[in-house]
Amino acid sequence: MKRVSLTQYLVEEQRLHQNIPAELRLLIEVVARACKTISHAVGKGALGDVMGSADTENIQGEVQKKLDIISNEILLEANEWGGHLAAMASEEMETVHQIPNRYPRGEYMLVFDPLDGSSNIDVNVSIGTIFSVLKAPEGMKEPSEAAFLQPGRQQVAAGYAIYGPQTVFVLTTGHGVNCFTLDRELGAWVLTHRNMRIPESTKEYAINASNARHWHAPVQRYVNEMLAGKTGPRGKDFNTRWIASMVADVHRIMSRGGIFMYPADMRDTSMPGKLRLMYEANPMAFIVEQAGGAATDGRQRIMDIQPHKLHQRVPVFLGSKEEVELVTSYHLQADAAG
Ligand code: AHG
Ligand code: MN
Ligand code: MN
């Protein structure tokens, strides 16, 4: 079978839909190349100086792993020189990263979670990179934080790489979702899954159940009904999966369906869930919707949320449409009942 490379795919998409101009193509290729470099670092494991903690904290008060910092550096360096970006923002950096003056600036803004699933690095379980592409406001040369605060529906591209048994790169530019597998011998991304679709219904769900006692009533209700199995209101048995790497959980859902949840809970009302809107929820919501799934915060579509902070957190319910609609309806019913 003739192989289609990432470059060929991007060129042909542009011919078909005029949605990947040369600068955006460069951006996507550069991000994919950076993911290849990260994949290489990840693969070194204990043979490279990449495992363990860096003994520093990020802006969100989380202890950074060495690989969080290495991956962040790889993405910054790869994307600075190309002239395609106006600025970048990352989970691991407090403020917006401007393009150094020695390089030209472009019209796009790149947002990323350089290393998702950090707790899995040292135990050799799948981790990944998540990214989202926005357009800088017209004529803005040095975008401030405010320029990044655009609702997810304005993303022009989003994707993730997963460093697992296989390294894959999953991408949407608004016309479906495609998946590329890294040919490790050639160092090339090869199109392997065209137009990925999430099955509408499912029997698998992902949630960190150790937080069950803190969940709000609609989440308790939804999960309890699944736990009741065949003889419960859902009339079927369900299965739990929780990898603790959002990329890996989402990739499973992209491949065979399911629902992924990281709700807000009753512990700290100032912290609405754990996941970040700009780096995790929005790009994954875009991908999931483009694959026929749905993504809400329990009440509204994630991509319609107007961000008010770069590092904002948000509750996340995403995956197979029927399930996301059901758990969302439980929240809305509870709200209506007061
Ligand atoms: P990150 O490593 O970028 O901080 O993200 C970790 C996130 C997400 O990938 C995962 O779904 C979730 O945290 C796991 O949380 P728990 O440790 O609470 O299970
Ligand atoms: Mn993450
Ligand atoms: Mn991360």
Side-chain angles (χ1 to χ4, degrees):
M1 201 182 75
K2 195 184 163 306
R3 287 177 152 210
V4 174
S5 67
L6 176 63
T7 304
Q8 184 178 348
Y9 164 80
L10 294 171
V11 168
E12 289 177 353
E13 268 295 286
Q14 163 66 3
R15 274 185 208 140
L16 218 57
H17 303 295
Q18 280 79 52
N19 65 334
I20 313 182
E23 284 209 343
L24 181 58
R25 189 179 92 212
L26 177 64
L27 188 167
I28 293 168
E29 290 191 297
V30 167
V31 170
R33 208 173 303 147
C35 290
K36 225 168 5 184
T37 310
I38 298 171
S39 165
H40 189 74
V42 168
K44 288 257 176 216
L47 302 176
D49 189 19
V50 298
M51 312 256 288
S53 160
D55 296 324
T56 48
E57 276 191 4
N58 67 11
I59 171 72
Q60 305 161 68
E62 298 163 340
V63 175
Q64 290 176 304
K65 301 277 186 176
K66 283 184 189 158
L67 215 46
D68 286 322
I69 296 173
I70 295 169
S71 308
N72 194 56
E73 287 298 320
I74 290 173
L75 280 156
L76 291 180
E77 252 184 64
N79 280 286
E80 278 181 340
W81 52 269
H84 52 282
L85 286 181
M88 293 182 252
S90 157
E91 181 185 285
E92 301 301 337
M93 296 184 297
E94 183 171 356
T95 52
V96 172
H97 180 90
Q98 299 295 345
I99 302 298
N101 281 331
R102 60 186 181 277
Y103 299 123
R105 308 223 164 121
E107 59 177 324
Y108 296 103
M109 300 190 298
L110 179 63
V111 179
F112 49 83
D113 174 357
L115 211 287
D116 176 68
S118 313
S119 72
N120 282 320
I121 296 170
D122 294 345
V123 292
N124 199 9
V125 170
S126 295
I127 49 185
T129 297
I130 309 171
F131 70 96
S132 157
V133 183
L134 295 162
K135 269 207 163 156
E138 203 61 37
M140 191 177 278
K141 282 287 171 227
E142 285 199 13
S144 58
E145 175 167 334
F148 281 83
L149 304 181
Q150 305 178 25
R153 61 171 183 274
Q154 286 175 222
Q155 293 171 100
V156 294
Y160 61 82
I162 167 164
Y163 316 116
Q166 304 120 37
T167 294
V168 302
F169 185 76
V170 172
L171 173 72
T172 185
T173 53
H175 287 91
V177 184
N178 290 278
C179 173
F180 303 82
T181 302
L182 181 62
D183 180 326
R184 286 179 172 143
E185 281 82 53
L186 298 180
W189 293 108
V190 182
L191 178 58
T192 45
H193 305 72
R194 264 187 202 275
N195 197 17
M196 296 177 93
R197 303 297 295 170
I198 300 176
E200 282 198 3
S201 57
T202 177
K203 291 183 172 184
E204 267 179 1
Y205 68 95
I207 191 165
N208 184 343
S210 67
N211 298 323
R213 68 192 183 285
H214 304 297
W215 293 339
H216 292 289
V219 180
Q220 302 261 8
R221 173 183 174 194
Y222 177 68
V223 174
N224 283 337
E225 287 182 1
M226 290 192 288
L227 287 173
K230 239 190 195 108
T231 52
R234 300 297 306 271
K236 60 181 178 182
D237 291 335
F238 285 82
N239 203 358
T240 314
R241 288 287 180 270
W242 185 253
I243 301 175
S245 291
M246 187 193 201
V247 269
D249 278 312
V250 169
H251 193 64
R252 183 189 58 256
I253 290 170
M254 291 297 293
S255 308
R256 66 176 190 214
I259 179 168
F260 169 91
M261 295 171 275
Y262 213 114
D265 62 37
M266 291 182 285
R267 270 172 294 185
D268 181 356
T269 42
S270 68
M271 187 171 142
K274 177 181 186 188
L275 300 178
R276 276 101 347 172
L277 176 59
M278 305 292 293
Y279 321 108
E280 294 169 319
N282 268 341
M284 290 311 202
F286 190 17
I287 293 165
V288 162
E289 282 196 12
Q290 283 293 317
T296 75
D297 68 352
R299 294 176 169 86
Q300 63 166 329
R301 185 178 174 229
I302 282 177
M303 288 207 288
D304 283 339
I305 297 172
Q306 173 61 52
H308 52 84
K309 277 202 321 237
L310 206 49
H311 298 287
Q312 180 171 341
R313 296 178 195 260
V314 68
V316 173
F317 300 83
L318 62 76
S320 294
K321 207 171 193 161
E322 285 177 9
E323 294 301 324
V324 174
E325 281 171 358
L326 187 63
V327 69
T328 304
S329 75
Y330 287 1
H331 282 83
L332 297 176
Q333 279 171 32
D335 291 352

